[in-house]
Amino acid sequence: MTSRERVRAAIAHQKPDRTPAAFEAVDSVVEKLMVHYQFTDYSQLLDKFKIDVVPVSPKYIGPKCKEYVNEKGQKVTTSYWGYETTIHKTAIDEYGMTSYFPLNDVTTIEEVDAFPFPDPDWFDYSVIKEECDKYPDKAIIVGHEGPFQIVTFLIDMDRFFVMMIEEPEVAQRILDRMVAFELEYYERIFKAGEGRIDILRPHDDYGTQISLLFSVDMWRDFFKENTKKLTALAHKYNAFYQQHSCGAVRPIIPELIECNVDVLEPIQKVAGLEPESLQEEFGGKITFHGGIDTQGILPYGTPQEVAEETRRFIKTLNRDGGYILMASQAFEGDVPIENIEALYEVERQIPR
């Protein structure tokens, strides 16, 4: 099987020749791995770890986004959505934190409509086919922050939660405007890909480490219909829909299945997302992606412990497909190289 065939078979709950795998890491980890292996091309890293899924995206060509250095000497960037991010350096890496929320003061639908949402014309989609052609045998994935995730950059999260209760029509308008942009943006990507896009993956974190951020009823009210629109778009172009959501999201898994979501990731190590119980209740209904814990075992465990946990996830969730191997998040700088190797070196071949 090619990587593309392997991934599509696994998501369709058909038996692939081996468990497919994906790879994500922060830039500093990618750079460290490239230097460690003396690789000169990213494709060598994909081959090293037998990675089946590759992301592509259009090129931004819209209005220039402002960048400056603040009074503390920190770099501040403005996204094409209008929010600002301040870069904070730690002993391990650099991380961005939203420092300006442009929709914090809106109170009416009219104010929402007056806000300059991005224009799908701000992107060059011709590069999509070029990127796909670099990886003819790989499964191609597209996607970025979804409607709720962008909201947390445009408006303080606490403020938005209050808005969902006190001004629900304004909150819904913000989400609907964002989804309207994304539907057009993603459709142009699908058309540019000429049938090569396999997975649409918006990122929306609906959970904390212990629970959902809001009730299931509120998820239904604010997110269900837009999720259906996005899954329908993916399926229109013979692609799968992969929902990213960190946190304890088990209560909405039945809702995601009802919305025709095909894949759920990243399966953090939180109550309710144990692989055994997920397989028992949802096996065959949705594919799971990830699960190897980036908060505990990957940074602090031994290679043997990482390998054992990886085998557990493959054995439990890979039943006639239904599982894509990866960490529960992108690899951060505190994960040793030998533990990344241990994850990907586990035997993935599936007995016939």
Short mmCIF file of all heavy atoms in Angstrom, two decimals, residues 232-261:
data_model
loop_
_atom_site.label_atom_id
_atom_site.label_comp_id
_atom_site.label_asym_id
_atom_site.label_seq_id
_atom_site.Cartn_x
_atom_site.Cartn_y
_atom_site.Cartn_z
N ALA A 232 -19.47 18.27 5.56
CA ALA A 232 -20.10 18.11 4.24
C ALA A 232 -19.18 18.60 3.14
O ALA A 232 -19.11 18.01 2.05
CB ALA A 232 -21.43 18.87 4.21
N LEU A 233 -18.46 19.68 3.40
CA LEU A 233 -17.51 20.19 2.39
C LEU A 233 -16.40 19.17 2.14
O LEU A 233 -16.07 18.89 0.98
CB LEU A 233 -16.90 21.51 2.87
CG LEU A 233 -15.83 22.09 1.95
CD1 LEU A 233 -16.42 22.49 0.60
CD2 LEU A 233 -15.13 23.28 2.62
N ALA A 234 -15.84 18.62 3.20
CA ALA A 234 -14.79 17.61 3.02
C ALA A 234 -15.29 16.42 2.21
O ALA A 234 -14.64 15.97 1.26
CB ALA A 234 -14.27 17.15 4.38
N HIS A 235 -16.47 15.93 2.57
CA HIS A 235 -17.00 14.75 1.90
C HIS A 235 -17.38 15.05 0.45
O HIS A 235 -17.32 14.15 -0.41
CB HIS A 235 -18.19 14.20 2.68
CG HIS A 235 -17.81 13.73 4.05
ND1 HIS A 235 -18.72 13.61 5.08
CD2 HIS A 235 -16.61 13.36 4.57
CE1 HIS A 235 -18.11 13.16 6.16
NE2 HIS A 235 -16.83 13.01 5.88
N LYS A 236 -17.75 16.28 0.16
CA LYS A 236 -18.05 16.68 -1.21
C LYS A 236 -16.85 16.45 -2.12
O LYS A 236 -17.00 16.11 -3.31
CB LYS A 236 -18.45 18.15 -1.23
CG LYS A 236 -18.65 18.75 -2.62
CD LYS A 236 -18.99 20.23 -2.52
CE LYS A 236 -19.08 20.89 -3.89
NZ LYS A 236 -19.39 22.36 -3.78
N TYR A 237 -15.66 16.60 -1.56
CA TYR A 237 -14.43 16.43 -2.35
C TYR A 237 -13.72 15.12 -2.05
O TYR A 237 -12.51 14.99 -2.23
CB TYR A 237 -13.50 17.63 -2.12
CG TYR A 237 -14.03 18.89 -2.79
CD1 TYR A 237 -14.84 19.78 -2.09
CD2 TYR A 237 -13.76 19.14 -4.13
CE1 TYR A 237 -15.34 20.92 -2.70
CE2 TYR A 237 -14.26 20.28 -4.76
CZ TYR A 237 -15.05 21.16 -4.04
OH TYR A 237 -15.56 22.29 -4.66
N ASN A 238 -14.48 14.13 -1.57
CA ASN A 238 -13.96 12.79 -1.31
C ASN A 238 -12.81 12.82 -0.30
O ASN A 238 -11.86 12.03 -0.39
CB ASN A 238 -13.49 12.11 -2.60
CG ASN A 238 -13.24 10.62 -2.42
OD1 ASN A 238 -13.91 9.96 -1.63
ND2 ASN A 238 -12.25 10.10 -3.12
N ALA A 239 -12.87 13.75 0.64
CA ALA A 239 -11.88 13.83 1.71
C ALA A 239 -12.53 13.44 3.03
O ALA A 239 -13.76 13.42 3.14
CB ALA A 239 -11.31 15.24 1.79
N PHE A 240 -11.71 13.14 4.00
CA PHE A 240 -12.19 12.84 5.35
C PHE A 240 -12.11 14.10 6.21
O PHE A 240 -11.32 15.01 5.95
CB PHE A 240 -11.35 11.74 5.99
CG PHE A 240 -11.44 10.41 5.28
CD1 PHE A 240 -10.40 9.97 4.48
CD2 PHE A 240 -12.55 9.61 5.42
CE1 PHE A 240 -10.47 8.74 3.83
CE2 PHE A 240 -12.65 8.38 4.78
CZ PHE A 240 -11.60 7.95 3.98
N TYR A 241 -12.92 14.13 7.26
CA TYR A 241 -12.92 15.27 8.18
C TYR A 241 -12.32 14.82 9.51
O TYR A 241 -12.83 13.90 10.15
CB TYR A 241 -14.34 15.79 8.40
CG TYR A 241 -14.39 17.06 9.21
CD1 TYR A 241 -14.30 18.30 8.61
CD2 TYR A 241 -14.51 17.01 10.61
CE1 TYR A 241 -14.35 19.47 9.35
CE2 TYR A 241 -14.56 18.17 11.36
CZ TYR A 241 -14.47 19.40 10.72
OH TYR A 241 -14.51 20.55 11.47
N GLN A 242 -11.24 15.48 9.91
CA GLN A 242 -10.54 15.16 11.15
C GLN A 242 -10.70 16.32 12.12
O GLN A 242 -10.26 17.44 11.85
CB GLN A 242 -9.06 14.92 10.86
CG GLN A 242 -8.24 14.58 12.08
CD GLN A 242 -6.85 14.07 11.71
OE1 GLN A 242 -6.73 13.17 10.86
NE2 GLN A 242 -5.82 14.62 12.32
N GLN A 243 -11.32 16.05 13.26
CA GLN A 243 -11.54 17.09 14.27
C GLN A 243 -10.43 17.06 15.30
O GLN A 243 -10.24 16.08 16.01
CB GLN A 243 -12.88 16.89 14.97
CG GLN A 243 -13.17 17.93 16.03
CD GLN A 243 -13.40 19.31 15.45
OE1 GLN A 243 -14.33 19.51 14.68
NE2 GLN A 243 -12.53 20.25 15.79
N HIS A 244 -9.67 18.15 15.38
CA HIS A 244 -8.71 18.30 16.46
C HIS A 244 -9.41 18.95 17.64
O HIS A 244 -10.07 19.97 17.50
CB HIS A 244 -7.53 19.19 16.02
CG HIS A 244 -6.63 19.56 17.16
ND1 HIS A 244 -5.43 18.94 17.39
CD2 HIS A 244 -6.76 20.50 18.13
CE1 HIS A 244 -4.87 19.46 18.46
NE2 HIS A 244 -5.65 20.42 18.93
N SER A 245 -9.27 18.34 18.80
CA SER A 245 -9.72 18.99 20.02
C SER A 245 -8.96 18.42 21.20
O SER A 245 -9.07 17.23 21.51
CB SER A 245 -11.22 18.82 20.26
OG SER A 245 -11.58 19.50 21.45
N CYS A 246 -8.18 19.27 21.83
CA CYS A 246 -7.51 18.87 23.06
C CYS A 246 -8.53 18.72 24.18
O CYS A 246 -9.65 19.20 24.08
CB CYS A 246 -6.47 19.91 23.46
SG CYS A 246 -5.10 20.07 22.29
N GLY A 247 -8.09 18.06 25.25
CA GLY A 247 -8.90 18.03 26.45
C GLY A 247 -9.85 16.85 26.56
O GLY A 247 -9.88 15.95 25.74
N ALA A 248 -10.66 16.90 27.62
CA ALA A 248 -11.58 15.82 27.97
C ALA A 248 -12.89 15.96 27.19
O ALA A 248 -13.89 16.44 27.71
CB ALA A 248 -11.83 15.83 29.47
N VAL A 249 -12.87 15.52 25.95
CA VAL A 249 -13.99 15.77 25.04
C VAL A 249 -14.89 14.55 24.84
O VAL A 249 -15.75 14.56 23.95
CB VAL A 249 -13.49 16.27 23.67
CG1 VAL A 249 -12.79 17.60 23.80
CG2 VAL A 249 -12.56 15.23 23.02
N ARG A 250 -14.75 13.54 25.66
CA ARG A 250 -15.56 12.32 25.46
C ARG A 250 -17.06 12.62 25.36
O ARG A 250 -17.75 12.02 24.52
CB ARG A 250 -15.30 11.31 26.57
CG ARG A 250 -15.98 9.96 26.27
CD ARG A 250 -15.89 9.00 27.44
NE ARG A 250 -16.44 7.70 27.09
CZ ARG A 250 -15.73 6.61 26.85
NH1 ARG A 250 -14.41 6.67 26.87
NH2 ARG A 250 -16.31 5.46 26.56
N PRO A 251 -17.64 13.53 26.17
CA PRO A 251 -19.09 13.75 26.09
C PRO A 251 -19.59 14.18 24.72
O PRO A 251 -20.76 13.96 24.41
CB PRO A 251 -19.35 14.84 27.14
CG PRO A 251 -18.24 14.68 28.12
CD PRO A 251 -17.05 14.31 27.30
N ILE A 252 -18.72 14.78 23.89
CA ILE A 252 -19.21 15.21 22.57
C ILE A 252 -18.83 14.26 21.45
O ILE A 252 -19.15 14.52 20.29
CB ILE A 252 -18.76 16.65 22.21
CG1 ILE A 252 -17.23 16.74 22.11
CG2 ILE A 252 -19.35 17.66 23.19
CD1 ILE A 252 -16.75 18.04 21.47
N ILE A 253 -18.18 13.15 21.77
CA ILE A 253 -17.84 12.20 20.70
C ILE A 253 -19.09 11.71 19.98
O ILE A 253 -19.11 11.65 18.74
CB ILE A 253 -16.99 11.03 21.24
CG1 ILE A 253 -15.62 11.54 21.68
CG2 ILE A 253 -16.82 9.95 20.15
CD1 ILE A 253 -14.72 10.47 22.27
N PRO A 254 -20.18 11.36 20.68
CA PRO A 254 -21.39 10.98 19.94
C PRO A 254 -21.90 12.10 19.03
O PRO A 254 -22.43 11.84 17.94
CB PRO A 254 -22.41 10.68 21.05
CG PRO A 254 -21.57 10.30 22.23
CD PRO A 254 -20.36 11.18 22.14
N GLU A 255 -21.74 13.36 19.46
CA GLU A 255 -22.15 14.49 18.64
C GLU A 255 -21.28 14.58 17.39
O GLU A 255 -21.78 14.85 16.29
CB GLU A 255 -22.04 15.80 19.44
CG GLU A 255 -22.84 15.84 20.72
CD GLU A 255 -24.34 15.80 20.46
OE1 GLU A 255 -24.79 16.37 19.45
OE2 GLU A 255 -25.06 15.19 21.29
N LEU A 256 -19.98 14.39 17.54
CA LEU A 256 -19.08 14.44 16.40
C LEU A 256 -19.41 13.33 15.40
O LEU A 256 -19.41 13.55 14.18
CB LEU A 256 -17.62 14.30 16.88
CG LEU A 256 -17.11 15.42 17.79
CD1 LEU A 256 -15.69 15.09 18.26
CD2 LEU A 256 -17.14 16.76 17.08
N ILE A 257 -19.70 12.16 15.92
CA ILE A 257 -20.09 11.05 15.03
C ILE A 257 -21.37 11.40 14.28
O ILE A 257 -21.49 11.14 13.08
CB ILE A 257 -20.25 9.75 15.84
CG1 ILE A 257 -18.88 9.30 16.39
CG2 ILE A 257 -20.88 8.65 15.00
CD1 ILE A 257 -18.95 8.16 17.38
N GLU A 258 -22.32 12.01 14.97
CA GLU A 258 -23.57 12.42 14.34
C GLU A 258 -23.34 13.48 13.27
O GLU A 258 -24.10 13.56 12.30
CB GLU A 258 -24.53 12.96 15.41
CG GLU A 258 -25.97 13.06 14.94
CD GLU A 258 -26.92 13.40 16.09
OE1 GLU A 258 -26.90 12.67 17.10
OE2 GLU A 258 -27.65 14.40 15.97
N CYS A 259 -22.29 14.27 13.43
CA CYS A 259 -21.93 15.29 12.43
C CYS A 259 -21.11 14.72 11.29
O CYS A 259 -20.65 15.45 10.41
CB CYS A 259 -21.14 16.42 13.09
SG CYS A 259 -22.08 17.45 14.22
N ASN A 260 -20.89 13.40 11.29
CA ASN A 260 -20.13 12.70 10.26
C ASN A 260 -18.63 13.02 10.30
O ASN A 260 -17.95 12.96 9.27
CB ASN A 260 -20.68 13.00 8.86
CG ASN A 260 -22.09 12.48 8.68
OD1 ASN A 260 -22.38 11.34 9.05
ND2 ASN A 260 -22.98 13.31 8.15
N VAL A 261 -18.13 13.35 11.49
CA VAL A 261 -16.69 13.49 11.66
C VAL A 261 -16.05 12.11 11.52
O VAL A 261 -16.54 11.13 12.09
CB VAL A 261 -16.36 14.10 13.04
CG1 VAL A 261 -14.87 14.03 13.35
CG2 VAL A 261 -16.86 15.55 13.10
#
